[in-house]
Amino acid sequence: MSALQRLPARKTILGVDTPILRALPHRERRMVGAWCFLDHLGPTQFAPGDGMHVGAHPHIGLQTFTWMIEGEVLHRDSLGNEQVIRPGQVNLMTAGHGISHTEDSAAEGARMHAAQLWIALPDAERERAPAFQNHPVLPVRTLGDWQVTVLAGSALGATSPAQVFTPLVGLELLAPAAGEVRLPLDPGFEHAAMVLEGEAWVDGERLDADELLYLPPGADGVELRSRGPLRLLWLGGQPWADTPILLWWNFVGRDQAGLEAALADWNGDGGRFGTVRPGSPAPRLLAPALAGVHLKA
């Protein structure tokens, strides 16, 4: 279908040396609803004595959303939380006015597979107090022979416990073997799909594992097909109608002055982001300066 838009993901590094595929933001499409960031990590096997380690870093104006598929990651934050996220669980951290955290492999030399996303907070919520929740149980529905986990929002008569602040949806679809299903959609949402494992076809269009496929609003359903076992991430949401966002480093803001103030506070340890509970072996990250950079909304 001509309405579908292919967005190649780019390879980059998370933390010290963990390779990932970054699908959002993309130069041709910055957001899908309020979803404004998507990293696909793995599946990867760390060498003995090695793992993922991301030192203390801050966030504002967003929610971090981690869906764990394989492996375990230890989250520590400036609210005093220390939580291991395990396969089949979601960690949801609401940054609001400001929070900082670390992320570390719970065990070295393990396999890891995850999707890490950000959700932009709307104007009315972006200065709210920070919060953190671990969701160990998420609703699961069947669609033909496929299994659908409702990660965020509502679908197929089920609603995720994850608290979000804009109309959106996040799903993981698992096909055990070759097959085809029709996924009902909210026609008021825009949507995007990314293969996490296997091969997929969306309305007859093949979707490769290193790209995001975007669908504009208007469709009330989509035909999905697999040639064998498949793990597919499906995102959707109402098109962003608030003030356009500015994304720099780990911050989602609305204007350059606000971003510069947050950067200065973090680098100068001004207190806005608190102190992360100690334990991570990775050093505190330094925010890159905005001097000489002019961002466009």
Side-chain angles (χ1 to χ4, degrees):
M1 294 174 60
S2 58
L4 302 182
Q5 181 184 22
R6 295 179 178 276
L7 305 171
R10 65 186 188 277
K11 295 179 181 179
T12 187
I13 297 297
L14 177 68
V16 178
D17 58 2
T18 303
I20 57 167
L21 278 175
R22 180 157 296 162
L24 287 176
H26 192 279
R27 64 181 180 276
E28 295 182 28
R29 183 158 302 279
R30 300 176 63 200
M31 303 176 71
V32 177
W35 301 102
C36 62
F37 184 92
L38 167 56
D39 278 356
H40 180 203
L41 188 162
T44 187
Q45 174 66 55
F46 289 104
D50 194 14
M52 184 193 78
H53 298 288
V54 184
H57 60 283
H59 292 286
I60 62 169
L62 58 87
Q63 294 178 288
T64 65
F65 189 101
T66 302
W67 168 237
M68 206 71 200
I69 301 165
E70 290 185 77
E72 297 182 350
V73 170
L74 176 57
H75 161 98
R76 299 181 179 94
D77 66 40
S78 53
L79 300 179
N81 295 296
E82 186 168 313
Q83 175 70 52
V84 174
I85 179 173
R86 297 180 170 87
Q89 299 183 358
V90 159
N91 270 3
L92 180 66
M93 186 177 74
T94 302
H97 180 68
I99 196 171
S100 55
H101 71 138
T102 60
E103 298 166 284
D104 295 286
S105 293
E108 308 290 10
R111 273 179 64 85
M112 186 176 293
H113 192 191
Q116 294 191 310
L117 305 104
W118 295 353
I119 304 168
L121 289 171
D123 288 346
E125 303 290 347
R126 64 189 180 91
E127 291 292 337
R128 67 182 293 114
F132 172 82
Q133 295 88 32
N134 169 261
H135 296 290
V137 179
L138 297 160
V140 177
R141 294 292 184 267
T142 56
L143 191 63
D145 292 332
W146 295 31
Q147 174 182 295
V148 181
T149 302
V150 183
L151 308 178
S154 299
L156 304 175
T159 299
S160 166
Q163 183 183 24
V164 295
F165 299 93
T166 58
L168 54 75
V169 68
L171 308 173
E172 186 198 66
L173 295 101
L174 284 177
E180 186 171 343
V181 296
R182 178 173 175 80
L183 177 67
L185 301 178
D186 183 331
F189 281 12
E190 55 187 356
H191 294 90
M194 188 174 191
V195 170
L196 302 182
E197 292 179 295
E199 296 178 294
W201 281 258
V202 179
D203 276 347
E205 293 277 343
R206 179 188 167 93
L207 177 57
D208 291 328
D210 60 351
E211 64 183 0
L212 192 73
L213 194 66
Y214 170 81
L215 297 82
D220 63 3
V222 64
E223 299 294 332
L224 303 175
R225 182 166 59 91
S226 68
R227 185 173 288 175
L230 169 69
R231 187 185 300 271
L232 183 71
L233 181 66
W234 190 273
L235 305 175
Q238 281 187 357
W240 187 255
D242 274 35
T243 308
I245 70 168
L246 294 177
L247 195 157
W248 180 260
W249 196 46
N250 296 307
F251 299 149
V252 169
R254 296 299 189 274
D255 55 62
Q256 189 153 336
L259 291 176
E260 288 174 340
L263 291 167
D265 199 300
W266 173 254
N267 284 343
D269 202 10
R272 175 176 179 176
F273 299 100
T275 301
V276 181
R277 176 175 291 191
S280 174
R284 186 180 190 270
L285 304 183
L286 184 68
L290 260 172
V293 176
H294 298 282
L295 301 175
K296 295 182 179 179

